[in-house]
């Protein structure tokens, strides 16, 4: 059986076998149910968010345009991994070609980079709105937002592209079994023979450039925001200013917390069972996509009222 066969060192690595949750093979079918539920909610929630922003002219503002990019990434990310995961769980379709594996890996990392870059741009949006409100319409025009979006996508493409290219130089002579539900970079590197130092080093550099760099910018932005807010004359003004940041902060926590924990446990938590690593990796990619539209729907008055109005539960008072 492909999932349990350890191939000869001379076997050509034209395809690989995704093993899913090792040790949980008997319950994988049941595990697919909550994952499919999460995927469905992610698609519905983010599609609703895009529809609200598109149809409500009052939401055609920089913050909501950035939110549209975030919603698109939240629909794309689970779509990259869940269909194959379901195939593994339901039909034992473990085989994946090397080309398809590299494409999936590139898409997962590139979309993650776009999502992180979008949250960074949204932090800048909040910084300008609170710290320099008189310049907001000048600094953040629709044309500027488009340039930001293009820069975020180009950055992701340029930084992530070397990851699959570096894998092309390797030979996979130990095994073709990937102990994961999707083609994760480090899981694939571990199957290679020869010098994998460039792969390990570049993977670390990418994490530091994207996650480390973006988080640093976000922290600096919010440090300046807090300094400005605490100098506002009234408590009501402070609450109002911080209220506009609530949804963004919530999404940052949702995205980066499991991501950082997964990254650190994968590289340094050698005593943690491998199944836990796989579960964390899937939670990191799937759960934020489901929660992000809920957070913005609950925290953003304009979006919440527009959805309620569409459901016939609220009169139009935006």
């Amino acid at each position: 059986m492909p999932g349990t066969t350890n191939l000869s060192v001379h076997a050509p690595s034209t395809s690989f076998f995704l093993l899913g949750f090792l040790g949980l093979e008997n319950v994988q079918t049941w595990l697919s149910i909550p994952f499919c539920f999460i995927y469905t909610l992610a698609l519905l929630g983010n599609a609703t968010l895009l529809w609200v922003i598109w149809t409500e002219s009052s939401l055609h503002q920089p913050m909501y345009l950035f939110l549209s990019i975030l919603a698109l990434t939240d629909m794309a990310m689970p779509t990259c991994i869940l269909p194959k995961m379901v195939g593994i769980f339901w039909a034992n379709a473990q085989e994946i070609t090397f080309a398809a594996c590299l494409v999936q890996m590139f898409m997962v990392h590139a979309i993650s980079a776009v999502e992180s870059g979008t949250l960074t741009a949204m932090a800048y949006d909040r910084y300008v709105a609170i710290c320099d409100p008189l310049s907001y319409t000048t600094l953040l025009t629709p044309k500027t937002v488009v340039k930001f979006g293009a820069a975020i996508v180009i950055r992701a493409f340029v930084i992530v592209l070397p990851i699959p290219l570096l894998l092309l130089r390797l030979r996979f002579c130990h095994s073709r079994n990937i102990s994961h539900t999707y083609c994760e970079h480090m899981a694939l590197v571990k199957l290679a023979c020869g010098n994998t130092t460039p792969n390990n080093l570049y993977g670390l550099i990418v994490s530091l450039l994207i996650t480390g760099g973006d988080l640093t910018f976000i922290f600096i932005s919010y440090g300046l925001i807090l300094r400005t807010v605490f100098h506002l004359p009234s408590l009501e003004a402070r609450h109002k200013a911080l209220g506009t940041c609530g949804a963004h902060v919530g999404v940052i926590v949702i995205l980066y917390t499991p991501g950082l924990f997964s990254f650190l446990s994968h590289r340094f938590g050698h005593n943690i069972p491998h199944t836990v690593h796989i579960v964390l990796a899937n939670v990191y990619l799937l759960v934020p996509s489901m929660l992000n539209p809920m957070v913005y729907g609950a925290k953003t008055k304009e979006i919440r009222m527009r959805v309620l109005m569409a459901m016939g539960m609220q009169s139009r008072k935006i």
Side-chain angles (χ1 to χ4, degrees), residues 232-246:
L232 292 176
S234 68
L235 187 61
E236 182 181 356
R238 295 175 190 175
H239 286 164
K240 184 177 180 180
L242 291 176
T244 64
C245 301

Side-chain angles (χ1 to χ4, degrees), residues 164-184:
L165 293 181
L166 284 172
L167 285 167
L168 290 173
R169 55 179 278 278
L170 298 176
R171 292 176 60 245
F172 299 89
C173 54
H174 299 305
S175 172
R176 291 191 291 171
N177 298 332
I178 301 175
S179 302
H180 219 298
T181 56
Y182 63 92
C183 288
E184 198 269 336

Side-chain angles (χ1 to χ4, degrees), residues 78-101:
T79 302
C80 286
I81 64 173
L82 194 117
K84 183 61 181 178
M85 185 194 304
V86 171
I88 296 170
F89 292 169
W90 290 0
N92 201 31
Q94 298 175 322
E95 188 171 5
I96 184 171
T97 65
F98 184 45
C101 191

Side-chain angles (χ1 to χ4, degrees), residues 76-259:
M77 178 62 80
T79 302
C80 286
I81 64 173
L82 194 117
K84 183 61 181 178
M85 185 194 304
V86 171
I88 296 170
F89 292 169
W90 290 0
N92 201 31
Q94 298 175 322
E95 188 171 5
I96 184 171
T97 65
F98 184 45
C101 191
L102 291 183
V103 169
Q104 185 187 54
M105 181 189 307
F106 172 79
M107 292 301 296
V108 167
H109 289 290
I111 293 170
S112 293
V114 171
E115 188 167 37
S116 180
T118 303
L119 289 176
T120 305
M122 294 171 81
Y124 175 71
D125 172 271
R126 292 299 84 203
Y127 162 75
V128 175
I130 294 173
C131 299
D132 193 10
L134 297 179
S135 302
Y136 185 80
T137 55
T138 305
L139 293 175
L140 285 167
T141 63
K143 187 176 181 180
T144 304
V145 174
V146 171
K147 289 180 179 179
F148 264 116
I152 290 168
V153 173
I154 292 171
R155 182 194 74 153
F157 181 86
V158 171
I159 292 179
V160 174
L161 184 60
I163 290 179
L165 293 181
L166 284 172
L167 285 167
L168 290 173
R169 55 179 278 278
L170 298 176
R171 292 176 60 245
F172 299 89
C173 54
H174 299 305
S175 172
R176 291 191 291 171
N177 298 332
I178 301 175
S179 302
H180 219 298
T181 56
Y182 63 92
C183 288
E184 198 269 336
H185 176 231
M186 292 308 300
L188 198 59
V189 168
K190 290 178 180 179
L191 300 182
C193 54
N195 183 17
T196 61
T197 301
N199 303 78
N200 289 308
L201 183 59
Y202 191 74
L204 183 60
I205 290 173
V206 169
S207 298
L208 292 176
L209 282 176
I210 295 177
T211 305
D214 289 350
L215 276 177
T216 299
F217 185 89
I218 290 170
F219 284 142
I220 292 173
S221 298
Y222 272 97
L224 295 173
I225 287 171
L226 289 175
R227 186 183 67 177
T228 300
V229 168
F230 288 137
H231 281 86
L232 292 176
S234 68
L235 187 61
E236 182 181 356
R238 295 175 190 175
H239 286 164
K240 184 177 180 180
L242 291 176
T244 64
C245 301
H248 183 240
V249 172
V251 169
I252 289 172
V253 172
I254 289 170
L255 177 69
Y256 284 113
T257 300

